[in-house]
C-alpha cells in the first residue's frame, strides 16, 4: 500500500513538472527583440524584417522593443539581466559586443559570458555618405575639404564608440586630416540631420543609409568592405579610392541572456535560418547590403570572439576613447 502511494505521488509529481519542463523547452507568450537604437536605423530595420517572419513561424507575437542609448550598450545591459527563458533576445551588433568593450573598461556586461549567441543575421559595409547639397562627392574631394577646413567638417555617428565613429577615426588616421565627430543616439536622428544639412558626412551603416541613398536625399561616396556588395555595384570601395587596407563592416545577430538553454538557442537558430532563406527576406537584405549571414551559433560566437580582439587593437592604435 505504501509502495503504491509512493508510486502515485511520484507520477503526480512528474505530471506537475511537465508544464514547467515544457515552459523551459520553449517560451510562452510574446518574444521581444530588444534593439539598442531608435526606429529608422539599420539595426531596427533588420529586426523588423526578421521579427515579422519569426512571428509567423513561431505563431506567437514577436515585439520589437527599442531601447536606445549609449551606442547600444543600454539595451545589451538590459537583456543581460533578463530571464534566460527565450522571451527576450538582443539585436546584437558590433557596437555592443566588440566596439564598446574596446573603449569602455567599466562596461556592466561581458559580451561572451553574459550572452548566448543564437544566429548571425549578416555583415554589411559602412557607406561614406553626404547630404545631397554637399559639394565634395569623392573621397579625394572630402579629404581636400577636411584639409582646407581642419576640425570643422562634420561627420555624424550613431554614438561614441560606434562603427561610424571607429570608421571616422580610421579615416582621419589614414588621410592625415582632422574632422569634427558629431555623435547621435542612433542612425535615425543622424540621417535626419545629414539630409537637412546640419551635418555634412557620415560613415553610416549601409542598412540605414540605403533608403535615403536610393531616394536621392543622400549621396553614396564609398563603401568600406574590401569588395563591392551587389547592392552597390557602382560605388567604389575606400581601397579602390586610394586607401589600401581600409576595411570596416558591421554585423548583426540575435543573442539571448547568458543562461539561455542550448535547446532553445538551437531551435531559434534553425527557425532563423529558414527565415533568412526566404526570397523576400533575401531580397530586402540584399537591398541593405547585408550578406554572409546564417550558420550555427558557434559560427556567430567565433565572429564575436574575433571582432573583440580586432577592435581592441584598433582602439589602441587609433587612440579611440569614450567617457564612461
Amino acid at each position: 500500500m505504501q509502495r503504491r502511494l509512493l508510486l502515485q505521488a511520484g507520477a503526480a509529481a512528474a505530471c506537475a513538472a511537465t508544464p514547467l519542463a515544457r515552459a523551459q523547452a520553449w517560451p510562452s507568450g510574446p518574444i521581444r527583440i530588444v534593439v539598442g537604437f531608435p526606429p529608422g536605423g539599420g539595426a531596427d530595420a533588420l529586426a523588423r524584417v526578421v521579427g515579422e517572419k519569426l512571428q509567423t513561424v513561431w505563431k506567437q507575437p514577436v515585439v520589437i522593443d527599442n531601447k536606445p542609448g549609449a551606442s547600444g550598450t543600454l539595451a545589451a545591459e538590459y537583456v543581460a539581466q533578463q530571464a534566460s527563458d527565450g522571451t527576450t533576445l538582443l539585436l546584437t551588433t558590433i557596437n555592443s559586443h566588440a566596439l564598446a568593450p574596446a573603449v569602455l573598461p567599466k562596461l556592466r556586461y561581458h559580451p561572451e559570458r553574459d550572452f548566448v549567441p543564437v544566429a548571425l543575421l549578416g555583415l554589411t559595409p559602412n557607406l561614406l555618405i553626404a547630404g545631397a547639397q554637399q559639394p565634395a562627392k569623392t573621397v579625394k574631394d572630402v579629404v581636400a575639404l577636411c584639409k582646407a577646413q581642419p576640425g570643422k567638417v562634420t561627420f555624424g555617428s550613431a554614438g561614441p564608440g560606434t562603427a561610424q565613429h571607429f570608421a571616422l577615426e580610421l579615416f582621419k588616421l589614414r588621410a592625415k586630416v582632422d574632422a569634427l565627430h558629431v555623435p547621435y543616439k542612433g542612425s535615425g536622428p543622424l540621417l535626419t540631420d545629414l539630409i537637412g544639412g546640419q551635418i555634412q558626412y557620415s560613415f553610416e551603416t549601409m542598412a540605414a543609409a540605403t533608403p535615403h541613398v536610393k531616394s536621392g536625399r543622400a549621396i553614396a561616396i564609398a563603401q568600406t568592405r574590401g569588395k563591392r556588395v551587389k547592392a552597390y555595384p557602382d560605388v567604389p570601395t575606400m581601397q579602390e579610392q586610394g586607401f589600401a587596407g581600409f576595411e570596416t563592416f558591421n554585423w548583426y545577430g540575435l543573442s539571448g541572456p547568458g543562461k539561455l538553454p542550448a535547446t532553445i538557442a538551437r531551435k531559434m537558430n534553425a527557425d532563423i535560418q529558414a527565415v533568412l532563406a526566404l526570397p523576400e527576406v533575401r531580397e530586402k537584405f540584399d537591398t541593405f547590403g547585408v550578406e554572409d549571414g546564417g550558420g550555427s551559433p558557434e559560427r556567430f560566437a567565433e565572429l564575436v570572439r574575433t571582432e573583440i580582439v580586432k577592435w581592441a587593437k584598433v582602439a589602441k592604435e587609433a587612440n579611440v576613447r569614450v567617457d564612461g
Side-chain angles (χ1 to χ4, degrees), residues 31-276:
I31 295 175
R32 290 184 301 157
I33 298 177
V34 179
V35 179
F37 300 94
D44 178 76
L46 296 182
R48 291 181 188 277
V49 170
V50 173
E52 179 183 357
K53 297 300 181 181
L54 288 176
Q55 186 166 260
T56 301
V57 173
W58 291 337
K59 296 180 173 59
Q60 60 197 100
V62 175
V63 180
I64 307 303
D65 187 0
N66 297 89
K67 293 187 180 297
S71 305
T73 61
L74 292 183
E77 181 182 337
Y78 171 80
V79 172
Q81 297 171 353
Q82 300 307 297
S84 296
D85 58 3
T87 59
T88 306
L89 300 174
L90 176 70
L91 196 289
T92 313
T93 69
I94 185 176
N95 295 320
S96 63
H97 275 54
L99 303 184
V103 295
L104 292 173
K106 296 181 181 179
L107 204 60
R108 296 180 183 177
Y109 60 85
H110 189 284
E112 294 182 282
R113 182 189 63 228
D114 295 329
F115 293 90
V116 172
V118 174
L120 175 65
L121 299 182
L123 313 176
T124 179
N126 294 82
L127 271 182
L128 174 57
I129 60 173
Q133 69 273 38
Q134 298 302 323
K137 294 181 172 63
T138 68
V139 175
K140 180 180 178 180
D141 290 342
V142 173
V143 171
L145 181 64
C146 290
K147 288 185 175 180
Q149 302 176 27
K152 294 182 179 180
V153 179
T154 52
F155 285 74
S157 82
T162 57
Q164 299 97 324
H165 182 192
F166 266 78
L168 169 60
E169 295 300 331
L170 284 176
F171 172 67
K172 288 163 59 178
L173 282 174
R174 298 294 177 83
K176 296 181 173 57
V177 297
D178 188 17
L180 180 61
H181 173 222
V182 183
Y184 288 81
K185 291 185 177 181
S187 293
L190 180 166
L191 287 161
T192 297
D193 277 6
L194 182 133
I195 292 165
Q198 283 75 38
I199 58 171
Q200 295 166 277
Y201 300 95
S202 177
F203 282 93
E204 181 54 273
T205 64
M206 187 172 281
T210 289
H212 305 285
V213 172
K214 298 301 182 184
S215 71
R217 292 178 292 180
I219 304 298
I221 296 173
Q223 51 185 301
T224 64
R225 284 190 77 178
K227 61 178 183 178
R228 301 187 190 190
V229 298
K230 57 185 176 183
Y232 285 87
D234 299 324
V235 176
T237 66
M238 290 291 292
Q239 295 186 30
E240 291 172 325
Q241 296 192 64
F243 287 81
F246 189 107
E247 183 173 27
T248 67
F249 58 84
N250 304 280
W251 44 264
Y252 305 88
L254 289 172
S255 303
K259 295 182 180 180
L260 182 71
T263 52
I264 295 179
R266 292 206 171 275
K267 172 171 170 45
M268 286 183 166
N269 177 275
D271 292 339
I272 293 165
Q273 302 266 18
V275 164
L276 293 178

Side-chain angles (χ1 to χ4, degrees), residues 281-297:
V281 172
R282 190 64 265 154
E283 182 180 358
K284 288 184 178 179
F285 274 38
D286 284 346
T287 300
F288 293 144
V290 179
E291 301 178 347
D292 304 325
S296 66

